[in-house]
Amino acid sequence: MDLEEEQSMDVILVGSSELSCPPSPRPSRDLIAYEVRVKQRHIEDICICCGSFQVWTEHPLFEGGMCAPCKGKFLDSLFLYDDDGYQSYCSICCSGETLLICENPDCTRCYCFECVDTLVSPGTSGRVQAMSNWVCFLCLPFPSNGLLQRRKKWRARLKAFHDREAESPFEIYKTVPAWKREPVRVLSLFGDIQEELTSLGFLEGGSDHRQLRHLDDVTNVVRKDVEDWGPFDLMYGSTPPFGYAFERPPGWYLFQFHRVLQYAQPRPGSRQPFFWMFVDNLVLTSDDRLVASRFLETDPVTIQDVCGRVTRNAVYVWSNIPAVRSKDSALAAEEALSLLAQDRLRARLPAPAPAALVKNCFLPLREYFKYFSTELTSSL
């Protein structure tokens, strides 16, 4: 399919007598069925997210086009999850206010009423609501529902879509079908994330070194040790929280994390999904953070806990987990975070463990690894 260029926006300079062109009619999804069935327009020439004819690329999951604005929204929202463990937005348009949740226990996807009624048939959302156990369009054994046609090899298409369209330093791994998912194997440095992963359903109750290995001191750890303990699917590390005594300078935790990360990563060419996260509890200096970005080859994201307009707790996060970069909205300024760190230091009050603040950032891993419970519990 040939890609069409985005239309440039007409601009009127202040004081200019030149008039801009009238705006194009607003796209409407209400006309998608009419355009396809009556006017015989190919659905790949229509954005199935909003109804626009200004198609930029293909929708990765379902047959149909996608315009540039909807592409950006899709990339930002696809791997965002709510506290209940389900994705936050519709898997078709990545928006929507009222969502239908797939009740397959191995699926976390949702669909908005408007997409379902527009692309399947009017009134479908009401019928789905009345069902006792609804399975979604990506889980059903048959691929076609009205105009909604599941793409073949959609998992590979989703990866290719992200790698081609996203402004990210990392490729994503192809998501794993439920019947192929294995329990996640975790290497946790300096901060133990067993409680958080158990509350999300990734670990069964009780300590199990076959799934999680926690190390506070890695000074004498060498490559052979990590290879003997592994392989690992997830590696986590953090600087200590404020209020906790630590004998080494904050930068030590960064350099040791980076060193062990080289040992834990799969060999080049491996298709094994491997994720990592390093969390700074506002103890690294600005120079340390620049070094971290250079070593880890990505910029940090700020995750914060806000009550009203007051930032109560915040951390910097470097990670390749999908959608972590989408969580840096409404950030406190760096000066505000610096003041927060100074207030902590003066008050000598211990901050919550960094893992508590980033816990829900692990939810996208449900697309890759087995989880033992669909009921999320609080570990805070």
Side-chain angles (χ1 to χ4, degrees):
M1 179 180 67
D2 294 331
L3 298 179
E4 298 179 12
E5 296 183 356
E6 289 184 88
Q7 288 186 330
S8 59
M9 181 180 296
D10 294 307
V11 178
I12 302 178
L13 300 177
V14 175
S16 171
S17 60
E18 183 182 29
L19 296 178
S20 64
C21 298
S24 301
R26 184 177 179 180
S28 173
R29 282 194 291 180
D30 295 339
L31 299 177
I32 291 179
Y34 174 79
E35 291 289 338
V36 173
R37 290 176 173 147
V38 178
K39 299 187 69 175
Q40 300 296 302
R41 185 186 292 268
H42 199 277
I43 197 167
E44 300 286 7
D45 296 331
I46 306 173
C47 175
I48 60 172
C49 304
C50 71
S52 170
F53 299 145
Q54 302 299 319
V55 170
W56 175 261
T57 187
E58 294 179 341
H59 196 288
L61 305 181
F62 299 97
E63 290 190 2
M66 182 180 283
C67 67
C70 289
K71 176 208 73 175
K73 185 190 300 183
F74 189 92
L75 288 169
D76 287 341
S77 307
L78 179 63
F79 284 99
L80 289 182
Y81 282 71
D82 283 339
D83 291 341
D84 60 4
Y86 287 93
Q87 292 189 345
S88 303
Y89 298 100
C90 172
S91 291
I92 301 172
C93 68
C94 273
S95 59
E97 296 182 359
T98 307
L99 300 175
L100 300 166
I101 296 174
C102 179
E103 296 183 69
N104 177 354
D106 295 315
C107 182
T108 59
R109 299 189 180 276
C110 306
Y111 300 81
C112 72
F113 279 30
E114 187 175 359
C115 277
V116 172
D117 288 340
T118 299
L119 296 172
V120 181
S121 64
T124 299
S125 62
R127 292 191 291 273
V128 169
Q129 270 192 308
M131 296 174 65
S132 59
N133 189 23
W134 178 68
V135 178
C136 83
F137 309 107
L138 291 177
C139 295
L140 286 170
F142 42 92
S144 182
N145 293 270
L147 296 180
L148 197 62
Q149 175 82 25
R150 183 174 65 230
R151 289 200 186 276
K152 296 179 180 178
K153 299 183 178 179
W154 61 266
R155 297 179 187 277
R157 285 178 173 269
L158 179 61
K159 170 179 166 49
F161 172 86
H162 180 277
D163 295 344
R164 181 180 67 249
E165 303 289 352
E167 296 179 3
S168 170
F170 303 114
E171 294 184 1
I172 67 166
Y173 295 98
K174 186 170 72 171
T175 59
V176 179
W179 61 90
K180 291 185 177 181
R181 294 174 193 163
E182 299 289 339
V184 65
R185 297 160 296 185
V186 184
L187 178 60
S188 180
L189 307 186
F190 322 129
D192 189 355
I193 56 174
Q194 177 180 332
E195 186 177 0
E196 284 74 22
L197 292 181
T198 301
S199 71
L200 295 175
F202 288 113
L203 301 180
E204 293 183 288
S207 178
D208 185 350
H209 287 301
R210 292 174 298 176
Q211 271 197 264
L212 184 145
R213 179 174 289 272
H214 170 227
L215 302 172
D216 277 322
D217 188 354
V218 296
T219 305
N220 299 319
V221 170
V222 297
R223 181 182 294 274
K224 187 176 186 307
D225 295 327
V226 178
E227 291 178 347
D228 288 344
W229 297 330
F232 294 104
D233 307 303
L234 170 66
M235 180 171 161
Y236 171 86
S238 69
T239 58
F242 264 109
Y244 290 80
F246 48 98
E247 299 176 355
R248 301 176 177 87
W252 180 89
Y253 297 91
L254 163 65
F255 292 120
Q256 293 297 331
F257 175 84
H258 181 262
R259 179 177 69 87
V260 178
L261 179 62
Q262 309 313 303
Y263 306 157
Q265 287 178 324
R267 298 190 181 279
S270 171
R271 296 183 179 181
Q272 170 197 342
F274 178 80
F275 301 97
W276 56 266
M277 177 185 289
F278 183 75
V279 182
D280 169 38
N281 199 41
L282 305 186
V283 299
L284 293 179
T285 66
S286 57
D287 287 341
D288 287 337
R289 294 199 299 273
L290 289 174
V291 171
S293 297
R294 186 168 72 250
F295 276 44
L296 300 175
E297 300 181 345
T298 187
D299 292 326
V301 168
T302 307
I303 308 292
Q304 58 188 342
D305 176 21
V306 178
C307 183
R309 296 186 177 181
V310 179
T311 301
R312 300 187 301 185
N313 191 23
V315 291
Y316 292 111
V317 179
W318 291 260
S319 181
N320 73 334
I321 296 177
V324 167
R325 302 200 61 78
S326 297
K327 295 180 176 291
D328 58 349
S329 58
L331 301 182
E334 184 171 347
E335 294 80 5
L337 297 179
S338 178
L339 290 173
L340 175 63
Q342 293 174 29
D343 289 343
R344 284 186 190 166
L345 192 60
R346 284 194 296 267
R348 301 289 180 183
L349 294 175
L357 198 56
V358 301
K359 183 183 77 169
N360 281 6
C361 292
F362 295 119
L363 281 171
L365 301 183
R366 289 190 161 207
E367 295 281 351
Y368 300 92
F369 304 109
K370 179 180 179 180
Y371 46 98
F372 297 94
S373 172
T374 58
E375 298 296 326
L376 303 191
T377 57
S378 175
S379 63
L380 305 182

